[in-house]
Amino acid sequence: MARTFPPAEKNASFAFFFLALYTIAVFIRPHEFSIETSKYVVIKVFAILAFLLTLTSLRPIKILPQHYMLLGFTPLIMISAFLNGWGMDGITEANKFFVASIIPFFLYSSLITSISRQKILMLICIAAALIMVYNGHIQQQSFDGKFGYGIGDSLTVGRAEMRITYLGFFGDPNDLGMFLVMNLAFLGYFYSEKGALYKLLMPIFFGLFCYGVLMTGSRGTLLGTLGVIFLYFFIKKAGAKLIVFGLIMAPILATLLTKFGGMSSSESSANGRLEAWYSGILMLINNPIFGVGKGNFMDHHELVAHNSYIHVAGEMGIPGYSLWAGVIILTMLASYRVIKEFSIWPDDNISEETKTDYFAEVKINQTLFFSMLGFIITAFFLSRQFTLLLFVFLGMLTASHIRLMKLRPELKSLFCKDMIIKSMTYCWVIIIAVYMALKVGL
């Protein structure tokens, strides 16, 4: 009988090259620095090239449950829209989700096949964040009482306070602030690496990022900054039972603090946010299966939910929220277990090189875990449920899991059927906790 060999691995270097260009175009957005080049569709071109080259040159292509769950979310968008009388517009929303969410998630989860590739993207993100802070400083210095002007004619958002912005979807201060928070863990990673330059620069960059968060005027991202720092020490030191208790109590305390002024500069603002949360839960109760339809929240309430979890639950119902939030919880639970249960290798009958590679991957996994915590916290106070940031960073974390499973195949159990079901169940703790707190707060 002829001997068979496993197919040779192909890492799709050219595809990753275009993914790096895509990352630069999405976060730094140099093509928007001038009006003449701002209309160039470089982001779409880089994404398409990276996608096609991935399909043709990456072997093997690893698919995890998160990929299937996000794909399953797509037809629910169309069904929900149709049942809510939105007709064919649901196809448009589903197509938008596939292009702007699933494809980026697939690219980042598939093409980051090594730690060196992950480091390249992390450095691009840090560079983008520094440029945003610099741009915000320029906006503040040029503020004329109404507007402040930055790179590419980016303008501040002027209300009672001046709030800095950037280009593209970072034109909203909340998105800019969320990106800064999600990059804090990257600074910690490079600070822990060898090299005097890292030890010098990373604390400076941390101070600049905090300065940037303050300039955004976003309370949610300020809380995200404090929350990530607190949770780093809490998770590293606390036991499992205390962590579970803290996760259950966190949304309850946040809801009550919002009511009693801890999260808002005015009572009307706090009440408006709580009323939006309550309206979102009522949408879920009245339309439990398919919700009110993606993009229809403001047809039923005058404001967005200011809470990504409630926003998705109200718009997409039980199946939709279970898939969307289940992807996040499944990915985070896998990372948490790696940090707590699989951070050491019990078997000594392996090479030192394999051990070194594994521990390096665990360190990357931990970094991306805390980066995603930045999203989870800030998303509790912002409606950013389909932001590109979520799917880019989720993709990075999923890529880390794929690399870990390659080194240690038993980690595949982190994505078994029971874990998927648990994740889709645990995600409802947030909604139930908020509902209980609202009954007290309103």
Side-chain angles (χ1 to χ4, degrees):
M1 181 179 292
R3 187 178 179 184
T4 59
F5 295 91
E9 292 188 1
K10 298 180 181 179
N11 289 328
S13 298
F14 208 32
F16 177 76
F17 171 73
F18 282 108
L19 181 67
L21 293 180
Y22 172 80
T23 307
I24 293 171
V26 165
F27 293 147
I28 300 180
R29 313 186 79 87
H31 59 290
E32 295 182 2
F33 287 0
S34 68
I35 297 177
E36 291 76 14
T37 59
S38 61
K39 295 183 180 180
Y40 290 176
V41 291
V42 293
I43 294 177
K44 291 183 179 179
V45 170
F46 292 150
I48 292 171
L49 289 174
F51 183 69
L52 294 177
L53 288 168
T54 299
L55 296 179
T56 57
S57 62
L58 181 67
R59 295 294 181 274
I61 296 178
K62 297 290 186 180
I63 302 297
L64 294 186
Q66 294 96 310
H67 294 93
Y68 294 115
M69 292 167 74
L70 289 177
L71 282 172
F73 186 83
T74 307
L76 289 179
I77 296 174
M78 294 184 282
I79 296 172
S80 177
F82 179 78
L83 293 178
N84 282 283
W86 207 26
M88 301 300 290
D89 287 339
I91 298 177
T92 302
E93 286 294 317
N95 178 68
K96 186 189 302 182
F97 177 77
F98 184 85
V99 172
S101 301
I102 293 180
I103 288 181
F105 175 75
F106 170 75
L107 291 176
Y108 282 92
S109 63
S110 300
L111 290 175
I112 310 176
T113 57
S114 66
I115 290 180
S116 59
R117 290 187 177 186
Q118 180 62 65
K119 286 183 178 181
I120 290 172
L121 297 183
M122 289 164 65
L123 289 172
I124 291 174
C125 289
I126 290 174
L130 290 172
I131 292 172
M132 291 177 192
V133 173
Y134 171 70
N135 181 69
H137 180 71
I138 293 176
Q139 289 177 337
Q140 279 209 336
Q141 296 301 310
S142 63
F143 188 63
D144 60 8
K146 293 183 178 180
F147 297 106
Y149 303 86
I151 300 171
D153 292 329
S154 57
L155 299 175
T156 57
V157 177
R159 295 179 183 172
E161 55 187 341
M162 192 199 77
R163 306 177 65 191
I164 65 169
T165 65
Y166 191 59
L167 303 169
F169 67 95
F170 294 112
D172 189 308
N174 294 314
D175 292 285
L176 197 164
M178 177 180 281
F179 182 66
L180 294 176
V181 172
M182 295 178 76
N183 272 278
L184 291 175
F186 292 175
L187 300 181
Y189 174 86
F190 285 110
Y191 179 81
S192 66
E193 290 284 276
K194 295 180 180 178
L197 187 61
Y198 285 148
K199 295 291 190 293
L200 173 65
L201 290 180
M202 294 306 126
I204 296 174
F205 291 170
F206 177 79
L208 291 174
F209 284 14
C210 291
Y211 173 55
V213 168
L214 291 175
M215 288 193 292
T216 64
S218 173
R219 300 176 183 87
T221 52
L222 178 59
L223 282 167
T225 302
L226 299 175
V228 168
I229 296 172
F230 169 77
L231 285 175
Y232 173 79
F233 295 101
F234 182 72
I235 291 176
K236 294 288 284 186
K237 300 296 182 182
K241 292 182 179 179
L242 181 58
I243 291 173
V244 170
F245 176 76
L247 292 175
I248 294 174
M249 291 302 298
I252 296 176
L253 292 175
T255 305
L256 294 177
L257 283 173
T258 301
K259 169 63 181 176
F260 295 114
M263 308 292 296
S264 176
S265 60
S266 67
E267 184 178 352
S268 60
S269 175
N271 286 335
R273 179 167 298 196
L274 291 177
E275 288 171 3
W277 293 2
Y278 192 68
S279 293
I281 293 178
L282 289 180
M283 293 177 205
L284 172 65
I285 293 173
N286 294 328
N287 304 272
I289 306 302
F290 293 109
V292 299
K294 182 176 179 291
N296 288 349
F297 193 97
M298 292 186 67
D299 289 347
H300 299 264
H301 187 74
E302 59 182 353
L303 300 173
V304 296
H306 291 291
N307 184 304
S308 298
Y309 310 99
I310 292 175
H311 203 124
V312 175
E315 287 191 345
M316 295 301 300
I318 294 174
Y321 176 78
S322 297
L323 288 173
W324 176 85
V327 168
I328 299 174
I329 299 301
L330 176 62
T331 309
M332 295 298 285
L333 276 179
S335 293
Y336 174 77
R337 291 190 61 189
V338 168
I339 295 170
K340 287 294 186 178
E341 301 175 29
F342 299 98
S343 59
I344 60 174
W345 197 304
D347 186 6
D348 292 329
N349 298 322
I350 58 169
S351 66
E352 286 300 320
E353 182 181 0
T354 301
K355 277 189 176 182
T356 301
D357 290 343
Y358 180 76
F359 295 147
E361 288 288 1
V362 170
K363 184 178 177 182
I364 283 285
N365 175 82
Q366 177 178 284
T367 298
L368 293 167
F369 171 81
F370 286 106
S371 181
M372 272 300 302
L373 275 180
F375 170 83
I376 289 174
I377 298 171
T378 54
F380 189 84
F381 304 101
L382 303 170
S383 285
R384 291 297 181 273
Q385 58 277 7
F386 301 117
T387 176
L388 181 61
L389 295 178
L390 167 61
F391 298 98
V392 168
F393 283 77
L394 262 182
M396 291 181 182
L397 187 50
T398 303
S400 173
H401 294 150
I402 292 174
R403 297 194 303 270
L404 283 166
M405 286 187 290
K406 183 179 178 181
L407 292 168
R408 196 169 176 178
E410 63 265 32
L411 293 182
K412 293 179 181 178
S413 62
L414 298 176
F415 302 99
C416 65
K417 182 179 178 181
D418 288 344
M419 287 299 296
I420 296 172
I421 294 173
K422 286 180 180 179
S423 299
M424 295 176 68
T425 303
Y426 293 162
C427 67
W428 285 96
V429 170
I430 298 174
I431 304 299
I432 295 171
V434 171
Y435 180 69
M436 293 171 57
L438 285 173
K439 284 296 185 178
V440 176
L442 284 178

